[in-house]
Amino acid sequence: MKVKIQRFDPFVDKEPYFQSFEVPIPKSERWTVMDILDFIVVNYDSSISYYRHSTCNHGICGQCALKINDKIHLACTSEVRNHDDLYIEPLPNKKIIKDLVTK
Amino acid sequence: MKIHESMDKVIETDILVVGGAGAASSAAIAARREGAKVVLASKGKLGKSGNSIMAHAAFSMDGKSAYDIYGIKEADPFFTREKLFEKIVKQSYFLSDQNVVEQFIEDSPTVVNEFVEWGRKAGQNFKFTPPCYWETSGRSIGAAIKKSVVDTEGIDIFEDVIIVDILTHNNKVTGAVGIDIHSGDFILFKAKAVILATGGYQPYSLKCTNSDMTGDGMAMAYRAGAKLADMEFLLFIQVALKPQSIKGSILPFMFSYYGFKMDIKDVDGNSILDEIPEEIKSVTDGNGVDKLVQTYYQGQRIFLGKGTPINGLYLDFLKSSKEELENDFNKLIGLFSTWHKHGYYNGDDIGIYKNMAMNDEPIEVSLGNEYSMGGILVDEKMQTDVSGLFAAGEVTSGLSGACRVADALTEMITQGNRAGKSAAEYAKYTKETDINLEQLESIIQRILRFFKNIDGCNVIEVCENIEKAADRGFSYCRTEESLLQSLEEIERIKNEEIPNVFLRNVTSNYNYEWIKAIQAENMILCTEVGIRAALMRKESRGTHIRLDYPTVDNDNWVVRIIACEKSGSMELSTRKPIVTKMQLPKGKEGSIIEYLLKYRPGTGDEGINDMELSI
């Protein structure tokens, strides 16, 4: 599936841009958006930043909320098989720390 | 005057509490009540991080205290402090330090009672269940934790700050160094005392824990000159393997705990539960020891090649009728709707498993790491060997020995409370000490060196390699050969991969790779201690199951294995557990199961009559 992720490092970039990845996931596997991001950082680009250092992965802590295909979801419980492509952006109306991490 | 050019901020306080859940909150509040200046630094969000929120939460006091002191008439007054003491010590396989157990038992009623109040103030539902425990959700525990700290005036809270090392001078705490994870700024905390409440270490790929449990506190304590103990003992629990979206969920454990009629089968379709001797049921009570018994029987089956390609087993409900199943699921969903969205357990959709169950589809499950019994060596005041360094909760060792049966949630708040009091008393009579600048410089160099490489290993992959190394031979079943393989892998990662870690992210604002590298060093240290201790302990005891030494050897091995740093090397030694009431046993038992049958609570020379726990 095609995954587009918004990148932006306020110390390096003038403005946000998008990076695309083609991720080979069988839909029957019931991966979540968090699984996709974890896969990308291991296999494609380890610099992609999302709040991950203290996360429950089971919809408890609420720290992985992201804008996914224009709607706000918890990445760890949002299953990708419900989508054809993924368009992942940081939460709106917050200061971007880096990529998908906001405060 | 800037203390060091790399320090972006300097915070001065009496007591620094490191952690973001129950032990940290309890410690911070207790210290504050003694009038100390308190700063709390949590790696994640306060009350939304660590293992506390992952629990399906139960915490308790002994039944007699609940009945007599707090007037709870549903409590079982026959479940006394003495019986709880006996249970904890016996089922720790006598490795508990009994002074630490006594502290837990004596202090927990007051601390637990107050925590129940915090739950009420936070608008959470803490459901009292006989004989003496409160049931709730992990998220509710977190909400109570946050409320308690925020409502206690004067605790300075720092969130998303990782403490990377403790500062000492002449074996005395002078503070700590932290990094603001969002900004990448260095923070110097000057403190008279530090309380580590950083939780456990879970080195394996399959676990039911939070992503922040990387053994930071244990590693920092070790580097500061404190001792670690019991690192070879880690607790496993039944967790989901499939589907991927709920991997790591403890729902499979819940089915067993809430009495569903079920079976666990290996890849050939052979039942594992049928292999478990009937008599062991008289010892298991739905919790602590159950996990160990399941680990023993299921773990061996997996280790001997009878698991699925991803080390799974199959859970099915063929023993249950469809009406019973429908009832059981509805009851479970009803109970969980007290705390969770209807039909869910946290973010896990129970309906997925209900459908599979009704269609006779087996669920792939396995054993996931839940908790580490081992950790920092402390006394009953939560003091370590380093002056001014205290620890509380899962980061410590001593309460549970080789197998935990006491509630981890009760442990964290009870020990946190004691640590806060001890640290405050210490700080009262301690003068502030200057920072050792040489030590600070060396810590900064160690932390910043990861930025130097312009090519090399992907640190996220390195962390996965650490997990694979632990899985390989340090897991629920061990042999000399498997442990040596794990050790070889860990050493290779330490010596070849870590020095070559390359951070693709070059700026320090939310540099997850950098944080992962820092954590990886802590995890490697903890895992190395655990593997070496497992190699040294040539017997089986509690959760340390050695297929090449299946006997529980009370003639030679009723000792704790202690690790510390001496002249740059890891040194292992042993010492007997501290005895206050129950003498250490002699003799050998054929297996950890035979031990449980012989040393069951309510029997033996201690003069306690036979009893049935009503859990």
Side-chain angles (χ1 to χ4, degrees):
Chain A
M1 84 187 304
K2 186 159 174 206
V3 182
K4 261 165 73 172
I5 301 174
Q6 182 178 295
R7 307 292 310 266
F8 179 57
D9 185 344
F11 287 93
V12 173
D13 305 314
K14 282 209 181 81
E15 56 188 22
Y17 62 98
F18 284 93
Q19 207 173 341
S20 277
F21 302 93
E22 194 60 52
V23 179
I25 303 300
K27 296 248 161 98
S28 60
E29 281 290 301
R30 301 189 74 153
W31 280 42
T32 63
V33 172
M34 184 74 95
D35 294 327
I36 293 277
L37 288 169
D38 290 346
F39 180 90
I40 290 173
V41 296
V42 169
N43 294 289
Y44 300 140
D45 186 344
S46 59
S47 70
I48 291 178
S49 305
Y50 50 110
Y51 192 101
R52 194 63 170 100
H53 66 280
S54 175
T55 43
C56 69
N57 211 23
H58 288 277
I60 306 168
C61 71
Q63 299 306 300
C64 64
L66 292 171
K67 195 166 160 197
I68 299 160
N69 289 357
D70 257 325
K71 276 175 137 175
I72 312 293
H73 288 288
L74 292 183
C76 71
T77 54
S78 179
E79 291 192 27
V80 301
R81 66 185 191 159
N82 302 322
H83 307 282
D84 287 322
D85 299 324
L86 279 185
Y87 189 38
I88 308 176
E89 298 167 278
L91 289 177
N93 306 319
K94 291 187 123 200
K95 176 176 162 199
I96 300 178
I97 303 294
K98 184 182 277 174
D99 299 343
L100 303 171
V101 181
T102 56
K103 204 169 175 186
Chain B
M1 183 203 82
K2 243 191 165 177
I3 286 195
H4 191 288
E5 61 194 16
S6 292
M7 295 295 118
D8 299 287
K9 208 186 261 184
V10 180
I11 307 289
E12 290 192 47
T13 189
D14 291 331
I15 297 170
L16 170 69
V17 180
V18 186
S25 58
S26 250
I29 292 166
R32 188 78 197 108
R33 284 181 179 159
E34 301 298 319
K37 280 199 289 187
V38 179
V39 165
L40 184 147
S42 171
K43 190 158 78 173
K45 300 282 192 291
L46 174 66
K48 288 201 165 111
S49 59
N51 277 343
S52 310
I53 58 165
M54 309 303 294
H56 175 63
F59 59 94
S60 62
M61 61 175 81
D62 67 277
K64 187 159 163 55
S65 296
Y67 191 93
D68 288 350
I69 306 176
Y70 297 103
I72 300 171
K73 292 309 165 199
E74 306 97 304
D76 179 0
F78 292 102
F79 190 46
T80 60
R81 293 181 187 201
E82 290 71 30
K83 287 194 173 130
L84 181 55
F85 181 89
E86 187 202 2
K87 181 175 160 66
I88 292 174
V89 173
K90 272 186 170 166
Q91 294 180 334
S92 79
Y93 286 66
F94 281 91
L95 292 195
S96 298
D97 267 355
Q98 293 174 31
N99 54 330
V100 172
V101 182
E102 299 221 22
Q103 183 273 327
F104 172 84
I105 290 179
E106 293 309 312
D107 287 357
S108 53
T110 329
V111 180
V112 163
N113 184 62
E114 193 181 14
F115 192 75
V116 174
E117 278 310 303
W118 283 118
R120 238 168 247 146
K121 286 181 193 160
Q124 303 301 311
N125 196 325
F126 286 10
K127 185 168 168 278
F128 183 81
T129 311
C132 55
Y133 65 97
W134 284 264
E135 190 176 11
T136 186
S137 71
R139 194 194 275 121
S140 293
I141 295 279
I145 286 167
K146 181 155 185 186
K147 177 101 178 127
S148 69
V149 175
V150 163
D151 278 12
T152 301
E153 267 192 71
I155 298 173
D156 268 321
I157 303 165
F158 287 80
E159 290 182 317
D160 296 309
V161 168
I162 178 174
I163 301 296
V164 300
D165 255 324
I166 313 290
L167 292 163
T168 58
H169 199 58
N170 297 328
N171 202 43
K172 207 170 151 198
V173 160
T174 57
V177 180
I179 296 170
D180 179 317
I181 296 174
H182 283 111
S183 66
D185 285 351
F186 273 100
I187 306 176
L188 172 63
F189 294 92
K190 294 180 77 182
K192 295 177 183 175
V194 170
I195 303 175
L196 293 169
T198 49
Y201 88 104
Q202 276 88 47
Y204 311 97
S205 59
L206 187 62
K207 47 209 172 204
C208 63
T209 51
N210 199 308
S211 72
D212 51 16
M213 307 310 273
T214 50
D216 298 348
M218 295 173 191
M220 290 194 283
Y222 176 94
R223 288 193 291 266
K227 298 185 167 87
L228 301 178
D230 304 337
M231 297 291 277
E232 66 272 36
F233 300 109
L234 297 112
L235 189 65
F236 288 86
I237 192 175
Q238 198 91 71
V239 301
L241 264 184
K242 290 211 172 139
Q244 177 70 23
S245 55
I246 42 181
K247 180 175 169 183
S249 170
I250 58 171
L251 265 176
F253 175 75
M254 300 296 184
F255 298 142
S256 167
Y257 184 76
Y258 285 104
F260 283 56
K261 284 206 186 95
M262 47 175 265
D263 199 357
I264 304 283
K265 293 188 170 104
D266 67 20
V267 78
D268 294 336
N270 295 319
S271 167
I272 296 171
L273 298 196
D274 286 352
E275 190 196 323
I276 300 177
E278 261 310 300
E279 45 180 345
I280 202 76
K281 298 206 173 103
S282 61
V283 188
T284 55
D285 57 9
N287 218 317
V289 155
D290 284 51
K291 294 170 189 170
L292 175 57
V293 169
Q294 291 303 321
T295 300
Y296 181 82
Y297 288 99
Q298 294 184 32
Q300 282 184 75
R301 205 67 76 90
I302 299 173
F303 189 88
L304 298 169
K306 293 294 179 187
T308 67
I310 52 173
N311 284 334
L313 295 168
Y314 292 113
L315 187 161
D316 69 47
F317 300 97
L318 300 176
K319 289 183 178 174
S320 184
S321 74
K322 291 293 183 290
E323 290 109 290
E324 282 174 316
L325 255 188
E326 180 79 39
N327 272 342
D328 285 338
F329 268 101
N330 288 342
K331 241 171 85 186
L332 189 70
I333 287 170
L335 172 67
F336 285 165
S337 66
T338 314
W339 308 285
H340 308 285
K341 178 170 134 189
H342 193 269
Y344 283 77
Y345 169 67
N346 292 315
D348 305 333
D349 181 1
I350 303 173
I352 296 176
Y353 284 157
K354 184 176 176 193
N355 287 338
M356 290 173 82
M358 293 313 233
N359 292 321
D360 293 335
E361 258 183 79
I363 299 168
E364 199 166 345
V365 300
S366 192
L367 298 166
N369 192 195
E370 182 201 340
Y371 176 92
S372 41
M373 270 69 69
I376 304 174
L377 189 68
V378 292
D379 63 14
E380 75 279 3
K381 293 200 161 77
M382 303 300 124
Q383 284 180 140
T384 70
D385 280 45
V386 176
S387 293
L389 186 63
F390 301 83
E394 193 185 347
V395 76
T396 66
S397 60
L399 175 64
S400 295
C403 179
R404 174 175 71 74
V405 299
D407 322 308
L409 297 179
T410 311
E411 174 187 24
M412 71 180 184
I413 56 179
T414 306
Q415 291 190 342
N417 178 272
R418 173 52 51 190
K421 289 180 173 143
S422 300
E425 192 181 322
Y426 170 89
K428 229 181 252 173
Y429 303 108
T430 301
K431 275 210 287 267
E432 203 185 288
T433 319
D434 284 332
I435 302 291
N436 178 339
L437 289 175
E438 218 177 285
Q439 186 191 54
L440 179 60
E441 178 64 34
S442 109
I443 290 169
I444 294 166
Q445 287 313 312
R446 181 173 72 82
I447 298 300
L448 286 177
R449 80 192 198 284
F450 297 109
F451 283 99
K452 294 208 175 106
N453 290 336
I454 53 169
D455 201 350
C457 306
N458 176 337
V459 68
I460 318 284
E461 227 180 296
V462 172
C463 291
E464 289 193 345
N465 291 343
I466 298 171
E467 291 177 347
K468 288 186 185 134
D471 287 346
R472 189 115 186 252
F474 177 51
S475 195
Y476 29 78
C477 287
R478 304 157 176 177
T479 61
E480 182 91 3
E481 189 192 347
S482 81
L483 289 166
L484 286 171
Q485 282 175 351
S486 278
L487 184 60
E488 194 182 316
E489 255 308 283
I490 287 286
E491 302 227 272
R492 189 192 66 75
I493 296 168
K494 180 171 73 166
N495 299 322
E496 291 173 24
E497 292 190 8
I498 291 286
N500 288 315
V501 153
F502 153 64
L503 307 182
R504 197 167 167 152
N505 220 318
V506 297
T507 49
S508 58
N509 46 314
Y510 207 93
N511 191 323
Y512 184 51
E513 293 165 283
W514 185 31
I515 304 304
K516 281 287 250 186
I518 293 168
Q519 289 175 168
E521 290 205 290
N522 294 333
M523 187 61 100
I524 285 169
L525 176 70
C526 291
T527 309
E528 187 183 338
V529 176
I531 297 171
R532 288 190 187 280
L535 274 163
M536 188 175 175
R537 185 177 291 278
K538 291 183 176 5
E539 61 142 14
S540 287
R541 185 170 297 270
T543 55
H544 170 72
I545 298 167
R546 281 199 60 163
L547 301 182
D548 49 355
Y549 293 97
T551 311
V552 176
D553 182 358
N554 296 322
D555 291 328
N556 297 298
W557 281 105
V558 191
V559 289
R560 302 182 66 192
I561 296 177
I562 318 280
C564 67
E565 189 172 65
K566 284 241 152 72
S567 320
S569 294
M570 187 179 287
E571 196 180 270
L572 262 58
S573 60
T574 62
R575 74 139 166 82
K576 284 194 161 66
I578 293 172
V579 171
T580 58
K581 287 199 179 83
M582 292 176 71
Q583 291 309 312
L584 303 178
K586 286 239 168 284
K588 296 177 166 71
E589 315 310 323
S591 69
I592 61 156
I593 301 296
E594 283 184 42
Y595 171 96
L596 287 175
L597 292 170
K598 177 166 178 188
Y599 291 94
R600 64 185 90 206
T603 62
D605 301 334
E606 295 76 26
I608 297 171
N609 296 324
D610 267 303
M611 59 153 286
E612 291 255 338
L613 287 180
S614 49
I615 293 174

